[in-house]
Amino acid sequence: MRIRAARASSDREIDLIASRMRLTLIEVLGEEAGTAMYSMDWLRDRVRFHLDPQRSTAAVLLAESDASEILGQSIVRIEPARQQGAEPRADEYGLMSTIYVVPEARRMGVAERLVEQVEAWIRERGLDRAATNTGKHNQKLICLFEKRGYEVTLRTEDMVQLSRKISTGG
């Protein structure tokens, strides 16, 4: 398995990533709420947003099998967004806005590899904090991140944010 960047020029990859973003919403929020939250056009545009360096400082990472099957994905961005070329601000952090692994590849280390690459991406940008948001009942994802040292740092009625400091040293 290898981790690689999604191709901004590939409509097939953009469609696949958007459809898996929808599946993530359904898993976390349930069928009705997850389907109703965003249209597929909006999700595709959101993928394109993350792939466009003029619109965001972000990355869309894909976990790919040796047979070139896309097993999982993660999207990470700097939050809050900063101006291109500006020095990092103390309040900026890397936010994993989505992570998804196909059911048949779960519990095989795919999510862990994606998180490792996301954290490396965050460190490369000089930031020392990583976070993700999820539904408060998404115990599988919460456990994955807690095993990596993340702690719940924010709770709302429906969501939690997990975050941790990451080393920026070489």
Side-chain angles (χ1 to χ4, degrees), residues 3-22:
I3 307 296
R4 68 168 175 85
R7 297 178 186 101
S9 62
S10 173
D11 289 339
R12 179 188 152 284
E13 285 186 7
I14 290 169
D15 286 345
L16 181 65
I17 295 162
S19 69
R20 290 179 175 177
M21 289 170 73
R22 164 69 48 82

PDB file of all heavy atoms in Angstrom, residues 3-22:
ATOM      1  N   ILE A   3       0.611   5.770  -0.072  1.00  0.00           N
ATOM      2  CA  ILE A   3      -0.219   6.965   0.075  1.00  0.00           C
ATOM      3  C   ILE A   3       0.247   7.946  -0.990  1.00  0.00           C
ATOM      4  O   ILE A   3       1.439   8.182  -1.152  1.00  0.00           O
ATOM      5  CB  ILE A   3      -0.059   7.605   1.470  1.00  0.00           C
ATOM      6  CG1 ILE A   3      -0.292   6.586   2.595  1.00  0.00           C
ATOM      7  CG2 ILE A   3      -0.982   8.820   1.602  1.00  0.00           C
ATOM      8  CD1 ILE A   3      -1.680   6.013   2.684  1.00  0.00           C
ATOM      9  N   ARG A   4      -0.706   8.503  -1.720  1.00  0.00           N
ATOM     10  CA  ARG A   4      -0.377   9.471  -2.760  1.00  0.00           C
ATOM     11  C   ARG A   4      -1.418  10.576  -2.770  1.00  0.00           C
ATOM     12  O   ARG A   4      -2.512  10.430  -2.238  1.00  0.00           O
ATOM     13  CB  ARG A   4      -0.290   8.807  -4.130  1.00  0.00           C
ATOM     14  CG  ARG A   4      -1.634   8.313  -4.658  1.00  0.00           C
ATOM     15  CD  ARG A   4      -1.522   7.933  -6.130  1.00  0.00           C
ATOM     16  NE  ARG A   4      -2.736   7.355  -6.660  1.00  0.00           N
ATOM     17  CZ  ARG A   4      -3.760   8.056  -7.133  1.00  0.00           C
ATOM     18  NH1 ARG A   4      -3.754   9.382  -7.112  1.00  0.00           N
ATOM     19  NH2 ARG A   4      -4.824   7.441  -7.620  1.00  0.00           N
ATOM     20  N   ALA A   5      -1.053  11.682  -3.405  1.00  0.00           N
ATOM     21  CA  ALA A   5      -1.984  12.805  -3.562  1.00  0.00           C
ATOM     22  C   ALA A   5      -3.011  12.477  -4.638  1.00  0.00           C
ATOM     23  O   ALA A   5      -2.688  11.829  -5.645  1.00  0.00           O
ATOM     24  CB  ALA A   5      -1.216  14.065  -3.946  1.00  0.00           C
ATOM     25  N   ALA A   6      -4.228  12.925  -4.432  1.00  0.00           N
ATOM     26  CA  ALA A   6      -5.263  12.797  -5.459  1.00  0.00           C
ATOM     27  C   ALA A   6      -4.901  13.690  -6.636  1.00  0.00           C
ATOM     28  O   ALA A   6      -4.214  14.700  -6.476  1.00  0.00           O
ATOM     29  CB  ALA A   6      -6.620  13.198  -4.891  1.00  0.00           C
ATOM     30  N   ARG A   7      -5.375  13.307  -7.797  1.00  0.00           N
ATOM     31  CA  ARG A   7      -5.093  14.069  -9.017  1.00  0.00           C
ATOM     32  C   ARG A   7      -6.227  15.054  -9.291  1.00  0.00           C
ATOM     33  O   ARG A   7      -7.363  14.651  -9.538  1.00  0.00           O
ATOM     34  CB  ARG A   7      -4.938  13.112 -10.197  1.00  0.00           C
ATOM     35  CG  ARG A   7      -3.775  12.165 -10.059  1.00  0.00           C
ATOM     36  CD  ARG A   7      -3.701  11.189 -11.242  1.00  0.00           C
ATOM     37  NE  ARG A   7      -2.662  10.212 -10.997  1.00  0.00           N
ATOM     38  CZ  ARG A   7      -2.887   8.970 -10.564  1.00  0.00           C
ATOM     39  NH1 ARG A   7      -4.122   8.557 -10.333  1.00  0.00           N
ATOM     40  NH2 ARG A   7      -1.876   8.143 -10.371  1.00  0.00           N
ATOM     41  N   ALA A   8      -5.890  16.332  -9.281  1.00  0.00           N
ATOM     42  CA  ALA A   8      -6.898  17.374  -9.540  1.00  0.00           C
ATOM     43  C   ALA A   8      -7.481  17.250 -10.939  1.00  0.00           C
ATOM     44  O   ALA A   8      -8.612  17.681 -11.177  1.00  0.00           O
ATOM     45  CB  ALA A   8      -6.279  18.756  -9.344  1.00  0.00           C
ATOM     46  N   SER A   9      -6.753  16.659 -11.860  1.00  0.00           N
ATOM     47  CA  SER A   9      -7.219  16.525 -13.247  1.00  0.00           C
ATOM     48  C   SER A   9      -8.094  15.292 -13.477  1.00  0.00           C
ATOM     49  O   SER A   9      -8.607  15.105 -14.574  1.00  0.00           O
ATOM     50  CB  SER A   9      -6.011  16.455 -14.191  1.00  0.00           C
ATOM     51  OG  SER A   9      -5.235  15.302 -13.881  1.00  0.00           O
ATOM     52  N   SER A  10      -8.297  14.472 -12.445  1.00  0.00           N
ATOM     53  CA  SER A  10      -9.049  13.230 -12.610  1.00  0.00           C
ATOM     54  C   SER A  10     -10.476  13.367 -12.091  1.00  0.00           C
ATOM     55  O   SER A  10     -10.718  13.317 -10.875  1.00  0.00           O
ATOM     56  CB  SER A  10      -8.343  12.083 -11.877  1.00  0.00           C
ATOM     57  OG  SER A  10      -9.149  10.921 -11.904  1.00  0.00           O
ATOM     58  N   ASP A  11     -11.429  13.513 -12.996  1.00  0.00           N
ATOM     59  CA  ASP A  11     -12.839  13.564 -12.594  1.00  0.00           C
ATOM     60  C   ASP A  11     -13.253  12.271 -11.900  1.00  0.00           C
ATOM     61  O   ASP A  11     -14.069  12.288 -10.978  1.00  0.00           O
ATOM     62  CB  ASP A  11     -13.738  13.831 -13.802  1.00  0.00           C
ATOM     63  CG  ASP A  11     -13.615  15.254 -14.318  1.00  0.00           C
ATOM     64  OD1 ASP A  11     -13.171  16.142 -13.564  1.00  0.00           O
ATOM     65  OD2 ASP A  11     -13.964  15.477 -15.496  1.00  0.00           O
ATOM     66  N   ARG A  12     -12.679  11.152 -12.319  1.00  0.00           N
ATOM     67  CA  ARG A  12     -13.009   9.861 -11.702  1.00  0.00           C
ATOM     68  C   ARG A  12     -12.612   9.873 -10.226  1.00  0.00           C
ATOM     69  O   ARG A  12     -13.385   9.449  -9.368  1.00  0.00           O
ATOM     70  CB  ARG A  12     -12.303   8.724 -12.446  1.00  0.00           C
ATOM     71  CG  ARG A  12     -12.570   7.353 -11.856  1.00  0.00           C
ATOM     72  CD  ARG A  12     -11.679   6.288 -12.520  1.00  0.00           C
ATOM     73  NE  ARG A  12     -11.409   5.192 -11.642  1.00  0.00           N
ATOM     74  CZ  ARG A  12     -10.560   5.186 -10.611  1.00  0.00           C
ATOM     75  NH1 ARG A  12      -9.864   6.238 -10.312  1.00  0.00           N
ATOM     76  NH2 ARG A  12     -10.397   4.109  -9.875  1.00  0.00           N
ATOM     77  N   GLU A  13     -11.408  10.354  -9.924  1.00  0.00           N
ATOM     78  CA  GLU A  13     -10.982  10.406  -8.526  1.00  0.00           C
ATOM     79  C   GLU A  13     -11.810  11.401  -7.732  1.00  0.00           C
ATOM     80  O   GLU A  13     -12.205  11.111  -6.596  1.00  0.00           O
ATOM     81  CB  GLU A  13      -9.491  10.756  -8.430  1.00  0.00           C
ATOM     82  CG  GLU A  13      -8.600   9.598  -8.791  1.00  0.00           C
ATOM     83  CD  GLU A  13      -7.127   9.845  -8.568  1.00  0.00           C
ATOM     84  OE1 GLU A  13      -6.745  10.887  -7.988  1.00  0.00           O
ATOM     85  OE2 GLU A  13      -6.345   8.975  -8.986  1.00  0.00           O
ATOM     86  N   ILE A  14     -12.106  12.534  -8.315  1.00  0.00           N
ATOM     87  CA  ILE A  14     -12.929  13.534  -7.615  1.00  0.00           C
ATOM     88  C   ILE A  14     -14.304  12.960  -7.298  1.00  0.00           C
ATOM     89  O   ILE A  14     -14.812  13.107  -6.178  1.00  0.00           O
ATOM     90  CB  ILE A  14     -13.021  14.833  -8.439  1.00  0.00           C
ATOM     91  CG1 ILE A  14     -11.650  15.533  -8.419  1.00  0.00           C
ATOM     92  CG2 ILE A  14     -14.122  15.752  -7.907  1.00  0.00           C
ATOM     93  CD1 ILE A  14     -11.513  16.677  -9.385  1.00  0.00           C
ATOM     94  N   ASP A  15     -14.919  12.265  -8.262  1.00  0.00           N
ATOM     95  CA  ASP A  15     -16.224  11.638  -8.027  1.00  0.00           C
ATOM     96  C   ASP A  15     -16.140  10.582  -6.922  1.00  0.00           C
ATOM     97  O   ASP A  15     -17.021  10.508  -6.063  1.00  0.00           O
ATOM     98  CB  ASP A  15     -16.754  10.999  -9.311  1.00  0.00           C
ATOM     99  CG  ASP A  15     -17.250  12.006 -10.326  1.00  0.00           C
ATOM    100  OD1 ASP A  15     -17.469  13.187  -9.959  1.00  0.00           O
ATOM    101  OD2 ASP A  15     -17.416  11.625 -11.501  1.00  0.00           O
ATOM    102  N   LEU A  16     -15.088   9.770  -6.951  1.00  0.00           N
ATOM    103  CA  LEU A  16     -14.927   8.723  -5.947  1.00  0.00           C
ATOM    104  C   LEU A  16     -14.746   9.328  -4.560  1.00  0.00           C
ATOM    105  O   LEU A  16     -15.383   8.893  -3.594  1.00  0.00           O
ATOM    106  CB  LEU A  16     -13.725   7.840  -6.299  1.00  0.00           C
ATOM    107  CG  LEU A  16     -13.454   6.684  -5.340  1.00  0.00           C
ATOM    108  CD1 LEU A  16     -14.598   5.675  -5.378  1.00  0.00           C
ATOM    109  CD2 LEU A  16     -12.134   6.025  -5.684  1.00  0.00           C
ATOM    110  N   ILE A  17     -13.907  10.337  -4.455  1.00  0.00           N
ATOM    111  CA  ILE A  17     -13.670  10.989  -3.165  1.00  0.00           C
ATOM    112  C   ILE A  17     -14.962  11.620  -2.645  1.00  0.00           C
ATOM    113  O   ILE A  17     -15.311  11.467  -1.468  1.00  0.00           O
ATOM    114  CB  ILE A  17     -12.539  12.035  -3.292  1.00  0.00           C
ATOM    115  CG1 ILE A  17     -11.222  11.330  -3.619  1.00  0.00           C
ATOM    116  CG2 ILE A  17     -12.428  12.883  -2.020  1.00  0.00           C
ATOM    117  CD1 ILE A  17     -10.154  12.251  -4.196  1.00  0.00           C
ATOM    118  N   ALA A  18     -15.693  12.304  -3.512  1.00  0.00           N
ATOM    119  CA  ALA A  18     -16.962  12.932  -3.100  1.00  0.00           C
ATOM    120  C   ALA A  18     -17.968  11.877  -2.641  1.00  0.00           C
ATOM    121  O   ALA A  18     -18.651  12.060  -1.629  1.00  0.00           O
ATOM    122  CB  ALA A  18     -17.531  13.765  -4.242  1.00  0.00           C
ATOM    123  N   SER A  19     -18.051  10.769  -3.359  1.00  0.00           N
ATOM    124  CA  SER A  19     -19.015   9.729  -2.974  1.00  0.00           C
ATOM    125  C   SER A  19     -18.630   9.110  -1.631  1.00  0.00           C
ATOM    126  O   SER A  19     -19.494   8.779  -0.821  1.00  0.00           O
ATOM    127  CB  SER A  19     -19.147   8.665  -4.058  1.00  0.00           C
ATOM    128  OG  SER A  19     -17.975   7.902  -4.166  1.00  0.00           O
ATOM    129  N   ARG A  20     -17.338   9.004  -1.374  1.00  0.00           N
ATOM    130  CA  ARG A  20     -16.900   8.459  -0.082  1.00  0.00           C
ATOM    131  C   ARG A  20     -17.052   9.471   1.037  1.00  0.00           C
ATOM    132  O   ARG A  20     -17.247   9.093   2.192  1.00  0.00           O
ATOM    133  CB  ARG A  20     -15.482   7.924  -0.194  1.00  0.00           C
ATOM    134  CG  ARG A  20     -15.466   6.642  -1.050  1.00  0.00           C
ATOM    135  CD  ARG A  20     -14.118   6.076  -1.223  1.00  0.00           C
ATOM    136  NE  ARG A  20     -14.177   4.809  -1.939  1.00  0.00           N
ATOM    137  CZ  ARG A  20     -13.104   4.116  -2.278  1.00  0.00           C
ATOM    138  NH1 ARG A  20     -11.900   4.567  -1.959  1.00  0.00           N
ATOM    139  NH2 ARG A  20     -13.235   2.977  -2.926  1.00  0.00           N
ATOM    140  N   MET A  21     -16.995  10.758   0.709  1.00  0.00           N
ATOM    141  CA  MET A  21     -17.329  11.774   1.708  1.00  0.00           C
ATOM    142  C   MET A  21     -18.791  11.602   2.121  1.00  0.00           C
ATOM    143  O   MET A  21     -19.121  11.689   3.304  1.00  0.00           O
ATOM    144  CB  MET A  21     -17.084  13.179   1.158  1.00  0.00           C
ATOM    145  CG  MET A  21     -15.606  13.525   1.007  1.00  0.00           C
ATOM    146  SD  MET A  21     -15.335  15.063   0.089  1.00  0.00           S
ATOM    147  CE  MET A  21     -15.858  16.285   1.303  1.00  0.00           C
ATOM    148  N   ARG A  22     -19.651  11.344   1.140  1.00  0.00           N
ATOM    149  CA  ARG A  22     -21.073  11.098   1.429  1.00  0.00           C
ATOM    150  C   ARG A  22     -21.218   9.868   2.318  1.00  0.00           C
ATOM    151  O   ARG A  22     -21.985   9.872   3.281  1.00  0.00           O
ATOM    152  CB  ARG A  22     -21.825  10.933   0.114  1.00  0.00           C
ATOM    153  CG  ARG A  22     -23.217  10.316   0.167  1.00  0.00           C
ATOM    154  CD  ARG A  22     -24.312  11.143   0.804  1.00  0.00           C
ATOM    155  NE  ARG A  22     -24.429  12.492   0.401  1.00  0.00           N
ATOM    156  CZ  ARG A  22     -25.049  12.958  -0.686  1.00  0.00           C
ATOM    157  NH1 ARG A  22     -25.615  12.137  -1.537  1.00  0.00           N
ATOM    158  NH2 ARG A  22     -25.111  14.240  -0.918  1.00  0.00           N
TER     159      ARG A  22
END
